[in-house]
Amino acid sequence: MNHVLCGLASNAALPPELVDRLITVADEDIAACLAGRTDLTRAQAVALSSRVEESAVTLVREGRLTAVDVDPVTRPDAALALLDEGAGIPEWARMFAADPVPERREKLAACPGLPSDVVEMLAVDPDVRVVAELALWAPAHLAAGLAGHPHAEVRRAVAVNEATPPAVLAALITGEGLPPARRCLVCDREETPFVHDRQCGRLDCDLLPGASCDGSHESTVHDLQHAALQNPAAPTEAVVGFAEHPSMLLRWALAARPDLPPEVGRRLAEDPIPGVRADLAGNPAIDDAVIRALAVDRGHDVQRRLAHNPNVPLDVLIHLAGATRIGATLLPRIASASPAEAEDLAGSPVPAARMLLARRRDLPAGIRDALAADPDAKVVRTIAPHPGLSEVQLRTMTDRHGAQVAAGVATNPDASPALLETLARHGTPVKNALRAIARHRHATASALIACFSDHKARQAAAAHPRLPPQVVVELLADPDGEVAEAAAANPSLPPAVMSDLVPL
């Protein structure tokens, strides 16, 4: 991989004539970068797809190639991509529906807006993978028709499809009203009863680990039920019975459903599997009693997921903040807190509660300023990126808490060039602060150069438009290919150097 030419191919300041020259020498990596350029002309896109055939699909997805630019016989993948984008020609769909390569028929089956005669052909395709792909995206009437397909894999695909009518999903879950499936992927390949070895070493085997069939297609039926439980169109009354099912995966899927009745939630709150209880904890449908029961549940990830539940009461959330690692994110319940609740949180004696509030970036000036002056460094570090903080406030928190808040201060969009220089030249600069400075729009040349001591910051600084051109040129020879690529993509790179880099 030529990192410099890949970076140059992404450079927004690259002149059109150099784009043309790069196209003539492009390999797959360079072509991938060129294909993403917003200024690529149609003529350049056609030339690039001729030079590197693999780029054609990307160019179609980017809207650079149209049907007049693609021959479906020589570029079937590009033609299928156009059909998938709704920009192909109906006759192409008819041609691919009869294509001897099943993978192409399978791709066609996923395309929207196919002619009705093509859909009819695909629905009776001899390859079950094609029919199953069609079932995944089929409109309601077609999905309903495919629900009784003799192959269980097609029925599983219908269960995934959110356009499938609720009554049909209920029938798939229970099996009532549908003829029994006659085949599955397991008994298509193996003599039953058969259980696929989880450590199977056969290179020609594509069965999933543990797939099994004793004549009832049990593993596919299980997958079908799992898909239906995850389908929001499945009726509540058809799924609630899985709360006591022996399959952990089915109970797990049920626990996340937004239509979960309270009594089912209470049963799942006692499930022996922590993962089931964790997904239940994040479900907005659970009631206050279940929330409070899960708040003291020390099972893996239960409390963290509960903290992300938008309906968790603030008193429970404050308890959770002190009991588990929540992560550096704005919680939904904090984002929706009323002005009065925000005032209460700001005055909480629990630093973790104040820190939760400090993640908001729309706080009133009074609350923002109070948190900026908080005695707890973690609270200050969290509020430091908040817009509107003054130079004096940012310097004061840096003086008081030093390295503990440096990265947050460096992230603040209002941090001045002088402050960023101070942070970058600190005796023992913080890596995360350097990485923030390297991306900051106010960073000066000297601050950016100071960031070179950290690998990740060096790469980001190499792409910064304020980096002096001569330094950018020097970084083209950096032993780290990613740094050299970032420098080549820097719009500050002199045009003459760009020209020298592209082979004639």
Side-chain angles (χ1 to χ4, degrees), residues 1-47:
M1 179 178 181
N2 189 321
H3 285 280
V4 170
L5 290 185
C6 284
L8 201 59
S10 301
N11 195 313
L14 191 68
E17 61 272 18
L18 292 185
V19 173
D20 291 334
R21 278 170 53 186
L22 262 183
I23 288 172
T24 64
V25 299
D27 57 16
E28 283 190 45
D29 295 320
I30 296 170
C33 297
L34 287 168
R37 293 187 65 89
T38 58
D39 61 350
L40 205 66
T41 66
R42 177 181 171 233
Q44 289 171 331
V46 171

Coordinates of all heavy atoms in Angstrom, one line a residue, residues 1-47:
M1 N 0.9 -1.2 0.0 CA 0.0 0.0 0.0 C 0.9 1.2 0.0 O 1.8 1.4 0.8 CB -0.9 0.0 1.2 CG -1.8 1.2 1.3 SD -2.9 1.1 2.8 CE -3.8 2.7 2.6
N2 N 0.6 2.1 -0.9 CA 1.4 3.4 -1.0 C 0.6 4.4 -0.2 O -0.4 5.0 -0.7 CB 1.5 3.9 -2.5 CG 2.5 5.0 -2.6 OD1 2.5 6.0 -1.8 ND2 3.2 5.0 -3.7
H3 N 1.0 4.6 1.1 CA 0.3 5.5 2.0 C 0.3 7.0 1.4 O -0.7 7.7 1.6 CB 0.9 5.5 3.4 CG 0.6 4.2 4.1 ND1 -0.6 4.0 4.8 CD2 1.4 3.1 4.3 CE1 -0.6 2.9 5.3 NE2 0.6 2.3 5.1
V4 N 1.4 7.4 0.9 CA 1.4 8.8 0.4 C 0.4 9.0 -0.7 O -0.3 10.0 -0.7 CB 2.9 9.2 0.0 CG1 2.9 10.5 -0.7 CG2 3.8 9.2 1.2
L5 N 0.4 8.1 -1.7 CA -0.5 8.3 -2.8 C -2.0 8.1 -2.4 O -2.9 8.8 -2.9 CB -0.2 7.4 -4.0 CG 1.1 7.7 -4.7 CD1 1.2 6.7 -5.9 CD2 1.1 9.1 -5.2
C6 N -2.2 7.3 -1.4 CA -3.6 7.1 -0.8 C -4.0 8.4 -0.2 O -5.2 8.9 -0.3 CB -3.7 6.0 0.1 SG -3.7 4.3 -0.7
G7 N -3.1 9.0 0.6 CA -3.5 10.3 1.3 C -3.7 11.4 0.3 O -4.6 12.1 0.4
L8 N -2.8 11.4 -0.8 CA -3.0 12.4 -1.8 C -4.3 12.3 -2.5 O -5.0 13.2 -2.9 CB -1.8 12.3 -2.8 CG -1.5 13.5 -3.7 CD1 -1.2 14.7 -2.8 CD2 -0.4 13.2 -4.6
A9 N -4.8 11.0 -2.7 CA -6.0 10.8 -3.4 C -7.2 11.3 -2.6 O -8.3 11.6 -3.2 CB -6.2 9.3 -3.6
S10 N -7.0 11.5 -1.3 CA -8.1 12.0 -0.5 C -8.0 13.5 -0.2 O -8.8 14.1 0.4 CB -8.1 11.3 0.9 OG -8.3 9.9 0.7
N11 N -6.9 14.1 -0.7 CA -6.6 15.5 -0.4 C -7.6 16.4 -1.1 O -7.7 16.4 -2.4 CB -5.2 15.9 -0.9 CG -4.7 17.2 -0.3 OD1 -5.4 18.2 -0.4 ND2 -3.5 17.2 0.2
A12 N -8.4 17.2 -0.4 CA -9.4 18.0 -0.9 C -8.9 19.1 -1.9 O -9.6 19.6 -2.7 CB -10.2 18.7 0.2
A13 N -7.6 19.5 -1.7 CA -7.0 20.5 -2.5 C -6.3 20.0 -3.7 O -5.7 20.8 -4.5 CB -6.0 21.3 -1.6
L14 N -6.4 18.7 -4.0 CA -5.7 18.1 -5.2 C -6.3 18.7 -6.5 O -7.5 18.6 -6.7 CB -5.8 16.6 -5.1 CG -5.0 15.8 -6.1 CD1 -3.5 15.9 -5.7 CD2 -5.4 14.3 -6.1
P15 N -5.5 19.3 -7.3 CA -6.0 19.9 -8.6 C -6.6 18.8 -9.5 O -6.1 17.6 -9.5 CB -4.8 20.5 -9.2 CG -3.8 20.7 -8.1 CD -4.1 19.6 -7.1
P16 N -7.6 19.1 -10.3 CA -8.2 18.1 -11.2 C -7.2 17.4 -12.1 O -7.4 16.2 -12.3 CB -9.2 18.9 -12.0 CG -9.5 20.1 -11.2 CD -8.2 20.4 -10.4
E17 N -6.2 18.1 -12.6 CA -5.2 17.4 -13.5 C -4.4 16.3 -12.8 O -4.0 15.3 -13.3 CB -4.3 18.4 -14.1 CG -3.4 19.2 -13.2 CD -4.1 20.5 -12.7 OE1 -5.4 20.6 -12.8 OE2 -3.4 21.4 -12.2
L18 N -4.2 16.6 -11.4 CA -3.5 15.5 -10.7 C -4.4 14.4 -10.3 O -3.9 13.2 -10.2 CB -2.9 16.2 -9.4 CG -1.7 17.1 -9.7 CD1 -1.1 17.6 -8.3 CD2 -0.6 16.5 -10.5
V19 N -5.7 14.6 -10.2 CA -6.6 13.5 -10.0 C -6.6 12.7 -11.2 O -6.6 11.4 -11.1 CB -8.1 14.1 -9.8 CG1 -9.1 12.9 -9.8 CG2 -8.2 14.9 -8.5
D20 N -6.6 13.3 -12.4 CA -6.5 12.5 -13.7 C -5.2 11.6 -13.7 O -5.3 10.5 -14.1 CB -6.5 13.4 -14.9 CG -7.8 14.1 -15.1 OD1 -8.8 13.6 -14.6 OD2 -7.8 15.2 -15.7
R21 N -4.1 12.2 -13.3 CA -2.9 11.5 -13.3 C -2.9 10.3 -12.3 O -2.4 9.2 -12.6 CB -1.7 12.4 -13.0 CG -1.2 13.2 -14.3 CD -0.2 14.2 -13.9 NE 0.9 13.8 -13.1 CZ 1.9 14.6 -12.7 NH1 1.8 15.9 -12.9 NH2 2.9 14.2 -11.9
L22 N -3.5 10.6 -11.1 CA -3.6 9.5 -10.1 C -4.4 8.3 -10.6 O -4.1 7.2 -10.3 CB -4.1 10.1 -8.8 CG -3.2 10.4 -7.7 CD1 -4.0 10.9 -6.5 CD2 -2.3 9.3 -7.3
I23 N -5.5 8.7 -11.4 CA -6.3 7.6 -11.9 C -5.5 6.7 -12.8 O -5.7 5.4 -12.7 CB -7.5 8.2 -12.6 CG1 -8.5 8.9 -11.7 CG2 -8.3 7.2 -13.5 CD1 -9.6 9.7 -12.3
T24 N -4.6 7.2 -13.5 CA -3.9 6.4 -14.5 C -2.9 5.4 -13.8 O -2.4 4.4 -14.4 CB -3.1 7.2 -15.5 OG1 -2.1 8.0 -14.8 CG2 -4.0 8.2 -16.2
V25 N -2.6 5.7 -12.5 CA -1.7 4.8 -11.8 C -2.3 4.1 -10.6 O -1.7 3.4 -9.8 CB -0.4 5.6 -11.3 CG1 0.3 6.1 -12.5 CG2 -0.8 6.7 -10.3
A26 N -3.6 4.3 -10.5 CA -4.3 3.8 -9.3 C -4.3 2.3 -9.2 O -4.5 1.6 -10.2 CB -5.8 4.3 -9.3
D27 N -4.1 1.8 -7.9 CA -4.4 0.4 -7.6 C -5.7 0.4 -6.8 O -6.4 1.4 -6.7 CB -3.2 -0.2 -6.8 CG -2.9 0.5 -5.6 OD1 -3.7 1.4 -5.1 OD2 -1.8 0.3 -5.0
E28 N -6.0 -0.8 -6.2 CA -7.3 -0.8 -5.5 C -7.4 0.1 -4.3 O -8.4 0.7 -4.0 CB -7.5 -2.3 -5.0 CG -8.0 -3.2 -6.0 CD -8.4 -4.6 -5.4 OE1 -9.1 -4.6 -4.4 OE2 -8.0 -5.6 -6.0
D29 N -6.3 0.3 -3.6 CA -6.2 1.2 -2.4 C -6.4 2.6 -2.8 O -7.2 3.4 -2.2 CB -4.9 1.0 -1.6 CG -4.8 -0.4 -1.0 OD1 -5.8 -0.9 -0.5 OD2 -3.7 -0.9 -1.0
I30 N -5.7 3.0 -3.8 CA -5.8 4.4 -4.3 C -7.1 4.7 -4.9 O -7.7 5.7 -4.6 CB -4.6 4.7 -5.3 CG1 -3.3 4.6 -4.6 CG2 -4.8 6.1 -5.9 CD1 -2.1 4.6 -5.6
A31 N -7.6 3.7 -5.6 CA -9.0 3.9 -6.2 C -10.1 4.0 -5.2 O -11.0 4.8 -5.4 CB -9.3 2.7 -7.1
A32 N -9.9 3.3 -4.1 CA -10.9 3.4 -3.0 C -11.0 4.8 -2.4 O -12.0 5.4 -2.1 CB -10.6 2.4 -1.9
C33 N -9.8 5.5 -2.3 CA -9.7 6.9 -1.8 C -10.3 7.8 -2.9 O -11.0 8.8 -2.6 CB -8.3 7.2 -1.5 SG -7.6 6.2 -0.1
L34 N -9.9 7.6 -4.1 CA -10.4 8.5 -5.2 C -11.9 8.4 -5.4 O -12.6 9.4 -5.6 CB -9.7 8.1 -6.5 CG -8.2 8.5 -6.7 CD1 -7.6 7.8 -7.9 CD2 -8.1 10.0 -6.8
A35 N -12.4 7.2 -5.2 CA -13.9 7.0 -5.4 C -14.7 7.8 -4.4 O -15.9 8.1 -4.6 CB -14.2 5.6 -5.3
G36 N -14.1 8.2 -3.2 CA -14.8 8.9 -2.2 C -14.7 10.4 -2.4 O -15.3 11.2 -1.6
R37 N -14.0 10.9 -3.4 CA -13.9 12.3 -3.6 C -15.2 12.9 -4.1 O -15.9 12.4 -5.0 CB -12.8 12.6 -4.7 CG -11.4 12.3 -4.3 CD -10.4 12.8 -5.3 NE -10.4 14.2 -5.4 CZ -9.6 15.0 -4.7 NH1 -8.8 14.5 -3.8 NH2 -9.6 16.3 -4.8
T38 N -15.6 14.1 -3.4 CA -16.8 14.7 -3.8 C -16.7 15.5 -5.1 O -17.8 15.9 -5.7 CB -17.3 15.7 -2.7 OG1 -16.2 16.6 -2.4 CG2 -17.5 14.9 -1.4
D39 N -15.5 15.8 -5.5 CA -15.3 16.6 -6.8 C -15.0 15.7 -8.0 O -14.7 16.3 -9.0 CB -14.2 17.6 -6.6 CG -12.8 17.0 -6.3 OD1 -12.8 15.7 -6.0 OD2 -11.8 17.7 -6.3
L40 N -15.2 14.4 -7.9 CA -14.9 13.5 -9.0 C -15.9 13.8 -10.1 O -17.1 13.7 -9.8 CB -14.9 12.1 -8.5 CG -14.1 11.1 -9.3 CD1 -12.6 11.3 -9.2 CD2 -14.4 9.7 -8.8
T41 N -15.5 14.0 -11.3 CA -16.4 14.2 -12.4 C -16.8 12.9 -13.0 O -16.2 11.8 -12.7 CB -15.7 15.0 -13.5 OG1 -14.6 14.2 -14.1 CG2 -15.1 16.3 -13.0
R42 N -17.9 12.9 -13.8 CA -18.3 11.7 -14.4 C -17.3 11.0 -15.3 O -17.0 9.8 -15.2 CB -19.6 12.0 -15.3 CG -20.1 10.7 -16.0 CD -21.3 11.0 -16.8 NE -21.6 9.8 -17.6 CZ -21.8 9.8 -18.9 NH1 -21.7 10.9 -19.6 NH2 -22.0 8.7 -19.6
A43 N -16.5 11.8 -16.0 CA -15.5 11.3 -16.9 C -14.4 10.7 -16.1 O -13.9 9.6 -16.4 CB -14.9 12.4 -17.7
Q44 N -14.1 11.3 -14.9 CA -13.0 10.7 -14.1 C -13.6 9.4 -13.4 O -12.8 8.4 -13.3 CB -12.7 11.7 -13.0 CG -11.8 12.9 -13.5 CD -11.6 13.9 -12.5 OE1 -12.5 14.1 -11.6 NE2 -10.5 14.7 -12.6
A45 N -14.8 9.3 -13.1 CA -15.4 8.1 -12.5 C -15.4 7.0 -13.5 O -15.0 5.8 -13.1 CB -16.8 8.4 -12.0
V46 N -15.7 7.3 -14.7 CA -15.7 6.3 -15.8 C -14.3 5.8 -16.0 O -14.0 4.5 -16.1 CB -16.3 6.8 -17.1 CG1 -16.1 5.8 -18.2 CG2 -17.8 7.1 -16.9
A47 N -13.3 6.7 -16.0 CA -11.9 6.3 -16.2 C -11.4 5.5 -15.1 O -10.7 4.5 -15.3 CB -11.1 7.6 -16.4

